[in-house]
Amino acid sequence: MQHFASDNYAGICPEALQALINSNTSGHEPAYGDDSWTTQVCDRIRDLFQTDCEVFFVFNGTAANSLALASLCQSYHSVICHELAHIETDECGGPEFFSGGSKLLTARGENGKLTPDAIEELVTKRADIHYPKPKVVALTQATEVGTVYTVEEIRAIAAIAKRRHLKVHMDGARFANAVATLGVHPSEITWRAGVDVLCFGGTKNGLPVGEAVVFFDKALAADFAYRLKQAGQLASKMRFISAPWLGLLDDDVWLRNARHANAMAQLMAERLVEIPGVSLLFKPESNAVFAELPTHVATALRAKGWRFYQFIGSGGCRLMCAWDTQRETVERFVDDVRTLAAST
Amino acid sequence: MQHFASDNYAGICPEALQALINSNTSGHEPAYGDDSWTTQVCDRIRDLFQTDCEVFFVFNGTAANSLALASLCQSYHSVICHELAHIETDECGGPEFFSGGSKLLTARGENGKLTPDAIEELVTKRADIHYPKPKVVALTQATEVGTVYTVEEIRAIAAIAKRRHLKVHMDGARFANAVATLGVHPSEITWRAGVDVLCFGGTKNGLPVGEAVVFFDKALAADFAYRLKQAGQLASKMRFISAPWLGLLDDDVWLRNARHANAMAQLMAERLVEIPGVSLLFKPESNAVFAELPTHVATALRAKGWRFYQFIGSGGCRLMCAWDTQRETVERFVDDVRTLAAST
Amino acid sequence: MQHFASDNYAGICPEALQALINSNTSGHEPAYGDDSWTTQVCDRIRDLFQTDCEVFFVFNGTAANSLALASLCQSYHSVICHELAHIETDECGGPEFFSGGSKLLTARGENGKLTPDAIEELVTKRADIHYPKPKVVALTQATEVGTVYTVEEIRAIAAIAKRRHLKVHMDGARFANAVATLGVHPSEITWRAGVDVLCFGGTKNGLPVGEAVVFFDKALAADFAYRLKQAGQLASKMRFISAPWLGLLDDDVWLRNARHANAMAQLMAERLVEIPGVSLLFKPESNAVFAELPTHVATALRAKGWRFYQFIGSGGCRLMCAWDTQRETVERFVDDVRTLAAST
Amino acid sequence: MQHFASDNYAGICPEALQALINSNTSGHEPAYGDDSWTTQVCDRIRDLFQTDCEVFFVFNGTAANSLALASLCQSYHSVICHELAHIETDECGGPEFFSGGSKLLTARGENGKLTPDAIEELVTKRADIHYPKPKVVALTQATEVGTVYTVEEIRAIAAIAKRRHLKVHMDGARFANAVATLGVHPSEITWRAGVDVLCFGGTKNGLPVGEAVVFFDKALAADFAYRLKQAGQLASKMRFISAPWLGLLDDDVWLRNARHANAMAQLMAERLVEIPGVSLLFKPESNAVFAELPTHVATALRAKGWRFYQFIGSGGCRLMCAWDTQRETVERFVDDVRTLAAST
C-alpha cells in the first residue's frame, strides 16, 4: 500500500537500482571514491550544471546540510534560515553539532520562504561579539511547505548575501522537484543565481541512499574530503553510493521522477479543493500538498490505514507524493476524503 | 582484476544483493527504521547473539566506532586502544570529533593486541584532573594486523576493565573473520566475555554499505537513536541498509564469506613462505597476510598492476583477502612473487 | 564618572579587594584549588545554602552557564529557556559550543519569565528523534528584564520539570539581587524549590572576576573538575578567584551590595515615572530599570556622556545599577532626563 | 613556607598587585575590554614586540593554547608537538575539545625539543585523508623540561614549517624565562624567527590570573574575539585581567622576575650536583631543575614537608623556582638533600 507520509517511503527507482547492480559487476574497485564509477558520476554532475565544481557524496541529508554549513562557518558564526527549515526543525541539532555550536537564526516569511528584508534585519540587528556573527544564508529549494523560490527570488537573496558577506547554501533535498516546477536549467537557480553550495538530494528522487554536495565555489571545498572522512561520511565501497546516480542522470530520469511526483501533488490538490470543507494551506508548487481537512476526516483517514503527517490539534495535513506515487492511489485517497467529509 | 589492497575493493555478495532487491519490492515502507525489514534484521541479530540487545545501523565503520565510543565517554575522558588500532590511525580523528575531544591513549602490544598489563599501566599512570580519565578499552577483533584475540584474552582484558571501571568496546570491522577463525559462538567473544558494545562490520563481509552497532549493555544505548540522527547516521530509507543483512544472516553466509576470505589468506601465506626471501610479519589468523617481500619484488608487483598496501621505505606488505577472492588470483599473485624473487 | 550601561562597569568592592590582598600574604599555596582559601570558601558557600553541595569556581558567567548546562545534557538534548535569556541572546553560542550542539528551545513569557505551561508546551510539542530531546529548564534569577521569580513560581516550574524529567538550572548572575528583593533564605529559591544547579554570580556583585557553580544534586557534578580543566576554566592560582568571595560572604556583604543596587534602581524608577513622557517597561524588582524615554531624550543623554543600552529604533533603555552606584549619580541622571524631556 | 612543586604556588608580585589596585580606582569602566586600561596594555605589548600585532587576554594557559590552536586548524587537521608538551600531557584534552577533535601528533626529541627532522617525518609519513592533515607546529618556550630553544633552532623549525605550510604556535607559559636566559629581544624568538602566534604567560611570572594571546600574523586573528566570547574567555571586568600586566611591563619587571627565578634554579642545580648520588636529568636553562635524587632522599624530603613533583617509581624530581623563591629556601632545601643523602 502506498502512503503520503513521506517521499522517503518510496523505494529505489528501477533505473537507479539497475545502475547499482551494474556497478557490482565490475569486480574489484578501489575504495573510498577512487573508483571509475564515482569519477564518472562526478563528471556527469559537472556536465549537468555546466560548470567546474567540486562534487562529494554523503549518506544523507542531515550530513549533507550539516557538513556543508560547517565548511562555511566557524562555531561562533551563525546561519540564517527560515523558521520552518529542515535544518532548524528536523535534524536534531545536526548543524549545531557538526559546526561545533553555530547558531541558527530563524526568520519568518510567507510561503516558507526567506526574503531579502528578513535577512537584512537579522544581519543588522546585532553587531557585537556577544551574538554569533552571521556567515551563511540557507535556503531550501523546494521549501518545506512545498513552495518554490523563483530565479528572481534567489538572485535577490544572493545579492543581499553578497553585500553582507554571507555565503549562500541551498538545501536541495527536493531540488529536482523545484527544477521540474520552474522549467529552468539547474544552473539558473544555483551558481548562476549566486548559490555557493548545493546539497543535491538523491534519496527522495529515487536513490536507495545518498546525497551529493556540490561546491560551486571550489575554494570552499578545501580539505572537505578530510571533513567527510572524520565525520563518518566517506563510503568505503563508494561506487554503491555514486553509481546509482547514473540511473537518475541518464535520460533525465531525475527530472522525470520529479515531474511525476509534482504532477501527482497537483492532481491531489485539484481534487481536494473541490471537496467542501477542505482547503489548501500553501500553494502546491512541488510534490507536497498541505491541506486543511476537517479534523474528524483526518482522524478517520488514519483509522482507514492512510499514513501522513498531521499537525497536532488540527486538521492540517502534509501529503507527500513520490516518484512512484500512483494516480489511482491519489484518486483512492481523495475518494476517501470526499466520502468521509460528506458523512459528518 | 582482483586486488589485495583492501577487502573493501570487493563488491556486494550475491545473497546481500538479492536481499536488497527483495526489500525494494515491498512498495512503500515507513522511513527511518520503522519498516518491517529493519525490525526483522534487529531480531535476527538478537537471535544470533542469543541475548536481548540494542541494535542500530550506521553507514560506515568510522561512524560506528566513533558514535559507540562517544556514548561511552565524555569529552574529558579517554579511550585506551592499541597504537595500531584503526580508531587511532585511520579515522582522521573521527573518535575525537564525535566525542568532542576524548583522547585516545595508545599502548603497544605484541601481534597488534592490547594486554591487561598495558591497560593497567595506562590507567594507573595518572590520576589527576590534568589528564583525561580513562573510561573505555577499545579492542579490534580481528586486529589490524590480522591476528585474533582468543576468548581467554578478551576475558582477561574485560576483567581488568571491570576492576578499573572501564567499558569494553569492540571494533568488529572483521568480526566475522575472527568468529570463523576461533570457531566459537559469537556470544563467546562478546557479551559472554565482557564486551559492552560491538561494532559489527558488514561492509567488508559483503554488504554494499553499513555496519551494526550492538549494545549488549542496553542502558548504554539510552537516547542513542537521537545521537545517530544528529550525527547524520540515520538512513531515511533504512530498509536498504538493514535488509541486505538478511542475505548475510540466512544460512550463515556471513560465516561462509569470512571462512573463504580466511582460507584465501591461509593459502597466500602458505605459498609465500615457501619463497626464498619472503617472510611473514604476523601470524595470519584472519583474512590478512602481512609479508616482508624483497623491496624490488614489491615494486615490480605494483608495476605489474597489483594493488596492495606497502609500508614506506620497506618491503612490508599488507595483502587482504575478501569474500570473493579467487584461488586462482592468489595463485597468480604468488607466482608473480616467486618469479620476481628469483630474478634478482 | 558612573554609568548605567552595565553592573560590570563597577570595580571591585572594598571587602573583596581586601580578601584578595589578604590571600596574597600567605606565601606559597598549592595550585588548582588545593589551597586553604578555596577550601574555606567552598565550606562557606555550603554553610550559606545550609546543605551539602558541590562548589566549583569558574572565570565568568558564559563558562558557568555553558558548563553547567553541558553537564546536564548531551549534544542531542535541548535546553528550555526564555527567549530573552542571556544564554540565548548574549553568550555567542557558548551553550551550544560547550555542549557540542545542544539546542536552546525558547519560550515567550510575561516579564521575562518562563511559565510551567510554556515549558509543558515545548516538551510535548515533539517526541520524535528528529528534534532534540528536552533535558533541562534554565531559569534566570533575577531575569534579564529585572524581574524576580517568586518562590512559588520556581516551585511550580520545578514541579513540571520533575514530571517531564528535566533538570533545573538557574542562571544566577544577579542571584544576590533576587535574594535581596525576596527577602528569603537563598535555599528557598534554589534547592528547597527544586533547583539542581545554580550559577552563583560574583562579578556583578563586586568581585574582580569569577562565578561559582553550585551543584545541589551532587551526582550531577561527577567528573565536573575534569570538565572545567579541559574547558580552560581551572585557575592555577585558584586562591585569587576564590578568596575574594570571603569579602562578599563575611557580614553578608553580598546582600548589602545587592540591596544597595536594588535600592538605587528603585530610586531611579520612582523618580523617572514622575517625569511626563517617561514610562517603565518592566516592574523594577532588582537592580535594573527598563524605561521608555522620548527618543530625543535618550539621544541627548548619550550626547551628554551617559552610557546605557538603548534598543534600536526606540527610546527603550536599560539602566543598570551596581553595588557602587551613588544616589547622587541617579539624581543627576534623572535631573538630566527631566530637563531634556521638558525641552522638546 | 615556600615549595618547589610549581611556579603557580607563588602569589602576585607587588608591582602587578599595585597595578590591579590602581585600576580599581578609576570608577566605572566599560566592560569586555573596551576600557582604557586594556587599550593601554595592548599597546604596551605591541611596543614590547616592536610590531603591529593582535593582542587578546584569556584566563589561563589551557585556554590560551587551545584557542590559539583552534584558530589555526579545523577539526580534521593535526598539530605537531613534542611528546612532553603541556598541550599533550597536562591540559586534559583541551586542544582536542576547543578544536572539535584536532589530533596532536607527538614527536620525540632530545631535551624536550622538537627538531626540523622530526617535524618533517611526521608531515611526510601520511598523505591520505584517513589521517588528520598537519597544520600547526607547537613549540614550548621554555620547554617542559626547563630547556630553551635557541634563536637558530626556532628559525630552523619555522623554515620547515613554512615549506610544509604549517603555522607556528609558541606555548610561552614561561616565555619570560626563555627571554631572560637567551638575553635576546623578545621579537627574536617570536615573529622575527617565524612564530605566528604566541601564548604569552603572565600567571607564572607574577600575575594573579591571565595570559596574553599575541597574533603576529593578524589575519589569523580574524573573529578571534567572537571565539573568546563563545569559549567563556571574555572577562566582563577586563581591566582586572589586563591592568596587572602594567606591573610586569613597567621597568621590565617581567624580565626581572624571570631572571630571579632562573637564578634560583641555577643556584639549586649548582648546589645539588655537588652532592654525591645526585645528578641532573636536563640542563637547567630556565627556572626548572630536573634532578635524580636517591629515592629514599626524595621520600624523606616529602616527609619533611617539602612539596615537589616526583616521577612514579623513581627519584626523578622536578623542582620549580618562582619569581619569589628565596635564596635561603633553596639553601635550606639543598641542605636537607645533602644531610639526607649522607645518612643512608
Side-chain angles (χ1 to χ4, degrees):
Chain A
M1 179 179 178
Q2 291 197 321
H3 293 285
F4 298 99
S6 171
D7 27 6
N8 284 328
Y9 275 43
I12 313 171
C13 73
E15 299 85 354
L17 182 57
Q18 191 55 53
L20 172 67
I21 292 170
N22 293 348
S23 72
N24 197 37
T25 61
S26 61
H28 280 197
E29 284 276 0
Y32 302 115
D34 293 333
D35 63 281
S36 57
W37 299 92
T38 302
T39 303
Q40 187 183 346
V41 178
C42 288
D43 285 343
R44 289 291 298 278
I45 289 178
R46 278 186 277 267
D47 289 348
L48 177 67
F49 284 98
Q50 299 181 339
T51 190
D52 191 20
C53 52
E54 294 278 2
V55 180
F56 300 89
F57 297 99
V58 298
F59 295 116
N60 68 10
T62 301
N65 285 324
S66 299
L67 290 169
L69 291 172
S71 73
L72 301 180
C73 61
Q74 297 292 309
S75 61
Y76 41 87
H77 292 144
S78 54
V79 174
I80 293 175
C81 67
H82 193 275
E83 63 179 349
L84 295 178
H86 201 263
I87 55 173
E88 167 67 13
T89 65
D90 279 274
E91 288 174 358
C92 197
E96 291 89 343
F97 172 72
F98 282 100
S99 64
S102 301
K103 217 171 172 72
L104 303 186
L105 309 184
T106 61
R108 296 179 179 183
E110 298 284 302
N111 299 314
K113 297 187 198 174
L114 280 177
T115 62
D117 284 356
I119 295 165
E120 180 74 3
E121 187 187 334
L122 276 173
V123 175
T124 55
K125 195 175 69 171
R126 294 277 295 264
D128 57 276
I129 59 173
H130 304 270
Y131 203 62
K133 186 177 173 178
K135 270 285 181 177
V136 188
V137 173
L139 305 178
T140 311
Q141 176 78 318
T143 75
E144 302 301 321
V145 297
T147 56
V148 171
Y149 285 96
T150 64
V151 173
E152 269 314 305
E153 286 172 336
I154 297 171
R155 280 188 196 150
I157 286 172
I160 204 75
K162 183 166 176 295
R163 170 161 159 68
R164 294 301 179 184
H165 306 292
L166 308 173
K167 300 296 177 191
V168 180
H169 160 268
M170 181 173 279
D171 175 353
R174 297 184 184 93
F175 181 74
N177 302 285
V179 173
T181 295
L182 295 171
V184 297
H185 189 271
S187 64
E188 292 293 329
I189 55 169
T190 54
W191 65 274
R192 286 192 211 270
V195 170
D196 295 298
V197 185
L198 168 70
C199 295
F200 188 1
T203 313
K204 292 181 167 71
N205 194 242
L207 293 188
V209 57
E211 318 282 291
V213 181
V214 184
F215 284 89
F216 299 109
D217 181 343
K218 293 178 69 172
L220 297 174
D223 290 343
F224 193 71
Y226 285 88
R227 188 184 289 275
L228 291 188
K229 168 66 196 182
Q230 182 181 42
Q233 291 290 329
L234 180 65
S236 53
K237 296 181 176 178
M238 180 71 92
R239 57 174 147 164
F240 302 123
I241 302 299
S242 59
W245 280 88
L246 288 179
L248 296 184
L249 296 172
D250 284 342
D251 303 320
D252 281 344
V253 167
W254 70 290
L255 277 178
R256 200 182 67 206
N257 281 351
R259 283 188 196 117
H260 174 78
N262 289 0
M264 290 303 99
Q266 280 300 323
L267 176 68
M268 169 81 86
E270 287 162 16
R271 290 285 193 278
L272 284 177
V273 291
E274 295 166 355
I275 303 174
V278 175
S279 61
L280 297 186
L281 298 168
F282 295 98
K283 195 173 167 202
E285 297 177 335
S286 56
N287 63 326
V289 176
F290 284 77
E292 180 79 32
L293 308 183
T295 310
H296 78 279
V297 172
T299 305
L301 286 166
R302 294 163 80 93
K304 282 181 76 86
W306 291 107
R307 300 186 66 154
F308 52 86
Y309 290 159
Q310 184 178 353
F311 302 111
I312 292 176
S314 87
C317 300
R318 188 189 78 155
L319 305 161
M320 299 300 303
C321 296
W323 65 268
D324 70 343
T325 298
Q326 294 164 5
R327 177 173 285 266
E328 68 185 23
T329 313
V330 176
E331 301 284 10
R332 195 153 41 81
F333 181 83
V334 172
D335 286 347
D336 279 356
V337 174
R338 191 180 300 113
T339 308
L340 290 164
S343 68
T344 314
Chain B
M1 182 179 177
Q2 291 197 321
H3 293 285
F4 299 99
S6 171
D7 26 7
N8 284 328
Y9 275 43
I12 313 171
C13 73
E15 298 85 353
L17 181 58
Q18 191 57 52
L20 172 68
I21 292 170
N22 292 348
S23 71
N24 197 38
T25 61
S26 60
H28 280 198
E29 284 275 0
Y32 302 115
D34 293 333
D35 63 282
S36 57
W37 300 92
T38 302
T39 302
Q40 187 183 346
V41 178
C42 288
D43 285 343
R44 289 290 300 277
I45 289 178
R46 279 186 277 267
D47 289 347
L48 176 69
F49 283 98
Q50 299 181 339
T51 190
D52 191 19
C53 50
E54 294 278 2
V55 180
F56 301 90
F57 297 99
V58 297
F59 295 116
N60 69 9
T62 300
N65 286 323
S66 298
L67 290 169
L69 291 172
S71 74
L72 302 179
C73 62
Q74 297 292 308
S75 62
Y76 42 87
H77 291 145
S78 54
V79 174
I80 293 175
C81 67
H82 193 276
E83 62 178 350
L84 296 178
H86 201 264
I87 54 173
E88 167 67 13
T89 66
D90 278 273
E91 287 174 359
C92 198
E96 291 89 344
F97 172 72
F98 283 99
S99 63
S102 301
K103 218 171 170 69
L104 304 186
L105 308 185
T106 61
R108 295 177 179 185
E110 298 283 303
N111 299 314
K113 297 186 197 173
L114 279 177
T115 62
D117 283 358
I119 294 165
E120 179 75 4
E121 188 188 332
L122 276 173
V123 175
T124 56
K125 196 175 70 170
R126 296 276 295 265
D128 58 276
I129 58 173
H130 305 271
Y131 204 62
K133 186 176 173 178
K135 269 285 180 176
V136 188
V137 173
L139 304 177
T140 312
Q141 176 78 318
T143 75
E144 302 302 320
V145 297
T147 56
V148 170
Y149 285 96
T150 64
V151 173
E152 268 316 305
E153 286 171 336
I154 296 170
R155 280 188 196 148
I157 285 171
I160 204 75
K162 182 166 177 296
R163 170 162 160 67
R164 294 301 180 184
H165 307 292
L166 307 174
K167 301 297 177 191
V168 180
H169 160 267
M170 180 172 280
D171 175 354
R174 296 185 184 93
F175 181 73
N177 301 284
V179 173
T181 295
L182 294 171
V184 297
H185 189 270
S187 65
E188 291 294 329
I189 54 171
T190 54
W191 64 273
R192 286 191 211 273
V195 171
D196 295 298
V197 185
L198 168 69
C199 295
F200 188 1
T203 313
K204 292 181 167 73
N205 195 241
L207 293 188
V209 57
E211 318 282 290
V213 181
V214 184
F215 284 89
F216 298 110
D217 182 342
K218 293 177 70 172
L220 297 174
D223 290 343
F224 193 70
Y226 287 88
R227 189 184 288 276
L228 291 189
K229 168 64 196 183
Q230 183 181 42
Q233 292 291 329
L234 180 66
S236 52
K237 296 182 176 176
M238 180 72 92
R239 56 175 148 164
F240 302 122
I241 303 298
S242 59
W245 280 88
L246 288 179
L248 295 183
L249 294 172
D250 283 342
D251 304 321
D252 281 344
V253 167
W254 69 290
L255 277 178
R256 200 181 68 206
N257 281 352
R259 282 190 196 113
H260 175 78
N262 289 0
M264 290 303 98
Q266 280 299 323
L267 176 67
M268 169 82 86
E270 285 163 17
R271 291 285 193 275
L272 283 178
V273 292
E274 293 167 355
I275 303 173
V278 174
S279 60
L280 297 185
L281 296 168
F282 295 99
K283 194 172 168 204
E285 296 176 338
S286 56
N287 64 324
V289 177
F290 284 78
E292 180 80 31
L293 307 183
T295 310
H296 77 280
V297 172
T299 305
L301 286 166
R302 294 163 81 92
K304 282 180 76 86
W306 291 108
R307 299 186 67 153
F308 52 86
Y309 289 158
Q310 184 178 351
F311 302 112
I312 292 176
S314 88
C317 300
R318 187 189 80 155
L319 305 162
M320 300 301 302
C321 295
W323 64 269
D324 70 342
T325 299
Q326 294 165 5
R327 178 173 284 266
E328 67 185 24
T329 314
V330 176
E331 299 283 11
R332 195 151 42 82
F333 180 82
V334 172
D335 285 348
D336 279 356
V337 174
R338 191 181 298 112
T339 307
L340 290 164
S343 69
T344 317
Chain C
M1 180 179 177
Q2 292 197 322
H3 293 286
F4 299 99
S6 171
D7 27 7
N8 284 328
Y9 275 43
I12 314 170
C13 75
E15 299 85 352
L17 181 58
Q18 192 55 53
L20 172 68
I21 293 170
N22 292 347
S23 72
N24 196 37
T25 61
S26 60
H28 280 197
E29 285 276 359
Y32 302 115
D34 293 333
D35 63 281
S36 57
W37 298 93
T38 302
T39 303
Q40 187 184 346
V41 178
C42 288
D43 285 343
R44 290 290 299 278
I45 289 178
R46 279 185 277 268
D47 289 348
L48 176 68
F49 283 99
Q50 299 181 339
T51 190
D52 191 19
C53 51
E54 294 278 1
V55 180
F56 300 89
F57 297 98
V58 298
F59 296 116
N60 69 10
T62 300
N65 286 323
S66 299
L67 290 169
L69 291 172
S71 73
L72 302 180
C73 62
Q74 297 292 309
S75 61
Y76 42 87
H77 291 145
S78 54
V79 175
I80 293 174
C81 67
H82 193 276
E83 63 178 349
L84 295 178
H86 201 263
I87 55 173
E88 167 66 13
T89 64
D90 279 274
E91 287 173 1
C92 198
E96 291 89 344
F97 172 72
F98 282 99
S99 64
S102 301
K103 217 171 171 70
L104 304 186
L105 309 184
T106 60
R108 295 177 180 185
E110 298 283 303
N111 299 315
K113 297 187 197 174
L114 280 177
T115 62
D117 284 356
I119 295 166
E120 179 75 2
E121 187 188 333
L122 276 173
V123 175
T124 55
K125 195 174 68 169
R126 294 277 294 263
D128 58 277
I129 59 174
H130 304 271
Y131 204 62
K133 186 176 173 178
K135 269 285 181 177
V136 188
V137 172
L139 305 176
T140 310
Q141 177 76 317
T143 75
E144 303 301 321
V145 297
T147 57
V148 170
Y149 285 95
T150 65
V151 173
E152 268 316 304
E153 285 171 334
I154 297 171
R155 280 189 197 149
I157 286 171
I160 204 74
K162 182 166 176 297
R163 168 159 162 69
R164 294 301 180 184
H165 307 291
L166 308 173
K167 301 296 177 191
V168 180
H169 161 267
M170 181 172 278
D171 175 353
R174 297 185 184 93
F175 181 73
N177 301 285
V179 173
T181 295
L182 294 171
V184 298
H185 189 269
S187 65
E188 292 293 330
I189 54 169
T190 54
W191 64 274
R192 286 191 211 271
V195 171
D196 296 297
V197 185
L198 168 70
C199 294
F200 188 1
T203 313
K204 291 181 168 73
N205 195 242
L207 294 188
V209 57
E211 318 281 291
V213 182
V214 184
F215 285 88
F216 298 111
D217 181 343
K218 294 178 70 173
L220 297 174
D223 290 343
F224 194 72
Y226 285 88
R227 188 184 288 275
L228 291 188
K229 169 64 197 183
Q230 182 181 42
Q233 292 290 330
L234 180 65
S236 53
K237 296 181 175 176
M238 181 72 93
R239 57 174 147 164
F240 302 123
I241 303 298
S242 59
W245 280 88
L246 288 179
L248 295 183
L249 295 172
D250 283 343
D251 304 322
D252 282 344
V253 167
W254 70 290
L255 277 178
R256 201 182 66 206
N257 282 351
R259 282 187 197 117
H260 174 78
N262 289 0
M264 289 304 99
Q266 280 299 325
L267 176 67
M268 169 81 85
E270 287 163 16
R271 291 285 193 276
L272 284 178
V273 292
E274 295 166 354
I275 302 174
V278 174
S279 60
L280 297 187
L281 296 168
F282 295 98
K283 195 172 168 204
E285 297 176 337
S286 56
N287 63 325
V289 176
F290 284 76
E292 179 79 32
L293 307 184
T295 310
H296 79 279
V297 172
T299 306
L301 286 166
R302 293 163 81 93
K304 283 181 76 88
W306 290 107
R307 299 186 67 152
F308 51 87
Y309 289 158
Q310 185 178 352
F311 303 112
I312 292 177
S314 87
C317 301
R318 187 189 80 156
L319 305 162
M320 300 300 304
C321 295
W323 65 268
D324 69 342
T325 299
Q326 293 165 7
R327 178 174 286 266
E328 67 186 25
T329 314
V330 176
E331 301 282 11
R332 195 150 41 80
F333 181 82
V334 172
D335 286 347
D336 279 356
V337 174
R338 191 181 299 112
T339 307
L340 290 164
S343 68
T344 315
Chain D
M1 181 179 178
Q2 291 197 321
H3 293 285
F4 298 99
S6 171
D7 26 6
N8 284 330
Y9 276 43
I12 314 170
C13 74
E15 298 85 353
L17 182 58
Q18 191 56 53
L20 172 69
I21 292 170
N22 292 348
S23 71
N24 196 38
T25 61
S26 59
H28 281 197
E29 284 275 358
Y32 302 115
D34 292 334
D35 62 281
S36 57
W37 299 91
T38 302
T39 303
Q40 186 183 347
V41 178
C42 288
D43 285 342
R44 290 290 300 277
I45 289 178
R46 279 186 276 267
D47 289 347
L48 177 68
F49 283 99
Q50 298 182 339
T51 191
D52 191 19
C53 50
E54 294 278 2
V55 180
F56 301 90
F57 297 98
V58 298
F59 295 116
N60 69 9
T62 300
N65 286 323
S66 299
L67 289 170
L69 292 172
S71 72
L72 302 180
C73 60
Q74 297 292 309
S75 61
Y76 42 88
H77 291 144
S78 56
V79 174
I80 294 174
C81 67
H82 193 275
E83 62 179 350
L84 296 178
H86 201 263
I87 55 173
E88 166 67 13
T89 65
D90 279 273
E91 287 173 0
C92 198
E96 291 90 344
F97 172 72
F98 283 99
S99 64
S102 300
K103 218 172 170 69
L104 304 186
L105 309 184
T106 61
R108 295 179 179 184
E110 298 283 302
N111 300 313
K113 296 186 198 174
L114 280 177
T115 63
D117 284 358
I119 294 165
E120 179 75 4
E121 188 187 332
L122 276 173
V123 175
T124 55
K125 196 174 69 171
R126 295 276 295 265
D128 57 276
I129 59 173
H130 305 271
Y131 203 63
K133 187 176 173 178
K135 270 286 182 176
V136 188
V137 173
L139 305 177
T140 311
Q141 176 78 318
T143 75
E144 302 301 320
V145 297
T147 56
V148 171
Y149 285 95
T150 65
V151 174
E152 268 315 305
E153 286 172 335
I154 297 169
R155 280 188 196 150
I157 285 171
I160 204 74
K162 184 166 175 297
R163 171 160 159 67
R164 294 300 179 185
H165 307 291
L166 308 172
K167 301 296 178 191
V168 181
H169 160 267
M170 180 172 279
D171 175 353
R174 296 184 185 94
F175 180 74
N177 301 284
V179 173
T181 296
L182 295 171
V184 297
H185 189 270
S187 65
E188 292 293 330
I189 54 170
T190 53
W191 64 275
R192 285 191 211 272
V195 171
D196 295 298
V197 185
L198 168 71
C199 295
F200 187 0
T203 313
K204 292 181 166 73
N205 195 243
L207 293 188
V209 57
E211 318 282 290
V213 181
V214 184
F215 285 88
F216 298 111
D217 181 343
K218 293 178 69 172
L220 298 174
D223 289 343
F224 193 71
Y226 286 88
R227 188 184 289 276
L228 291 188
K229 168 64 196 183
Q230 182 181 43
Q233 292 290 328
L234 179 66
S236 52
K237 296 181 176 176
M238 181 71 92
R239 58 175 147 164
F240 302 122
I241 303 297
S242 60
W245 280 88
L246 288 179
L248 296 183
L249 295 172
D250 283 343
D251 305 321
D252 282 344
V253 167
W254 69 291
L255 277 178
R256 200 182 67 206
N257 282 352
R259 283 189 195 114
H260 174 79
N262 289 1
M264 290 303 98
Q266 279 299 324
L267 177 67
M268 169 81 86
E270 286 163 16
R271 291 285 194 277
L272 284 177
V273 292
E274 294 166 356
I275 303 173
V278 174
S279 61
L280 297 186
L281 296 168
F282 295 98
K283 195 173 166 201
E285 296 176 338
S286 56
N287 64 324
V289 177
F290 284 77
E292 180 79 31
L293 307 183
T295 309
H296 78 278
V297 172
T299 305
L301 285 166
R302 293 163 80 92
K304 281 181 77 87
W306 290 107
R307 300 186 66 153
F308 51 87
Y309 289 159
Q310 184 178 353
F311 303 112
I312 292 176
S314 88
C317 301
R318 187 188 80 155
L319 305 161
M320 299 301 301
C321 294
W323 64 268
D324 70 342
T325 299
Q326 294 165 6
R327 176 173 287 265
E328 67 186 22
T329 313
V330 176
E331 301 282 11
R332 194 151 42 80
F333 180 81
V334 172
D335 286 346
D336 279 356
V337 174
R338 190 181 299 110
T339 307
L340 289 164
S343 68
T344 315

